[in-house]
Amino acid sequence: MNSAWRHIWTITKRELSAYFSSPVAYVFIVIFLLLTGFFTFMIGGFFERREAVLSSFFMWLPWFFLILVPAVAMGLWAEERRLGTIELLLTMPITAWQAIVGKFLASWAFLGLALGLTFPVVWTVNYLGSPDNGVIFCGYLGGLLMAGAYLAVGCMTSAITRNQVVSFILSVVICLFMILAGWPPVTNFFIGVGAPNWLVETVAAFSVMPHFESLQRGVIDSRDVLFFFSVIGFSLFTTGVIIRSQRAG
């Protein structure tokens, strides 16, 4: 392991330890599991479908992440700025991008753990029927990538301000746009007001939903994976620019 990745690994371990040293992480996971279970089995009509599928689970996932992921991300940099520890962090023998990647990976791993703990849903559908577990795996992969994209946006908004509430609201607004941009009622609205097709298609291209739905169907298309990693890469790059500009200022 070279020194760069050793520094990233140090930051990742530090952030993960910080998560589980407070009850907030456990509360977050419990709330997430309760919400996914309630909406999958009670609101999503899991039993009424009489099919061994998890569409009622994946249907709600973008909306749970819309609130929960910005809540995880809002303190990543805003809290460091508020406490003044960002200066100390950046004077350590690490670069800004190593700190950004380390913090991002720790938070992504935490979200992956929360998503993985929904395994009783998978166990239930396997107990009741014979689902296509390959499709379920792709759905989980899509969920993990979508959480990463939301999280990267949250990192970016957290770097902008030292106020966690402002960071949370900005992140929710951007992620909501990424959900609604490709939603048919929204695209139909743009078409209805006479927007040119190229504009409608450009706005819709920012939506996470077509890419997530494709993975939900069990199709791993490189374009969908590339879309999520592009959002992550762009957002983390912007986070780096913001932090370096603050450091220079």
Side-chain angles (χ1 to χ4, degrees):
M1 185 183 294
N2 61 37
S3 60
W5 283 106
R6 201 161 46 241
H7 292 153
I8 291 171
W9 176 235
T10 301
I11 295 291
T12 303
K13 283 195 298 183
R14 172 202 161 198
E15 292 296 316
L16 276 174
S17 299
Y19 274 124
F20 291 102
S21 63
S22 79
V24 175
Y26 302 98
V27 171
F28 171 89
I29 290 174
V30 169
I31 290 174
F32 177 67
L33 295 179
L34 288 175
L35 282 175
T36 53
F38 179 74
F39 276 83
T40 299
F41 295 114
M42 305 302 292
I43 306 295
F46 175 82
F47 296 107
E48 287 77 5
R49 292 173 188 267
R50 297 184 179 278
E51 294 178 317
V53 294
L54 282 184
S55 53
S56 58
F57 170 73
F58 292 118
M59 176 177 68
W60 293 106
L61 210 51
W63 301 100
F64 296 146
F65 283 162
L66 175 65
I67 302 299
L68 296 175
V69 175
V72 170
M74 65 183 184
L76 284 177
W77 291 103
E79 187 67 3
E80 299 274 9
R81 291 187 61 195
R82 189 181 70 80
L83 297 175
T85 52
I86 189 170
E87 301 300 333
L88 176 64
L89 177 66
L90 296 179
T91 53
M92 294 170 66
I94 60 172
T95 60
W97 75 267
Q98 289 168 353
I100 292 166
V101 173
K103 279 175 168 284
F104 172 78
L105 290 179
S107 302
W108 202 10
F110 174 71
L111 292 169
L113 173 65
L115 186 60
L117 288 176
T118 61
F119 70 89
V121 178
V122 180
W123 180 84
T124 301
V125 76
N126 273 275
Y127 178 76
L128 295 175
S130 301
D132 187 335
N133 284 309
V135 173
I136 292 175
F137 170 79
C138 290
Y140 268 86
L141 176 63
L144 185 63
L145 290 171
M146 183 170 56
Y150 285 6
L151 178 64
V153 170
C155 286
M156 181 177 65
T157 59
S158 183
I160 293 173
T161 175
R162 64 182 63 198
N163 187 317
Q164 294 192 37
V165 176
V166 173
S167 167
F168 175 81
I169 293 171
L170 286 174
S171 183
V172 168
V173 169
I174 295 173
C175 292
L176 181 62
F177 168 77
M178 291 168 63
I179 292 177
L180 298 181
W183 202 30
V186 175
T187 54
N188 291 340
F189 168 78
F190 278 107
I191 294 171
V193 298
N197 284 335
W198 65 266
L199 179 60
V200 176
E201 291 172 0
T202 301
V203 171
F206 288 98
S207 177
V208 296
M209 294 309 290
H211 306 283
F212 179 56
E213 288 168 355
S214 176
L215 286 161
Q216 269 191 74
R217 292 193 296 270
V219 178
I220 300 179
D221 190 319
S222 58
R223 289 170 295 184
D224 298 322
V225 176
L226 183 62
F227 169 81
F228 286 112
F229 277 107
S230 298
V231 174
I232 292 171
F234 174 78
S235 300
L236 293 185
F237 173 77
T238 307
T239 303
V241 172
I242 294 168
I243 289 175
R244 276 194 290 269
S245 66
Q246 291 167 351
R247 193 180 186 182

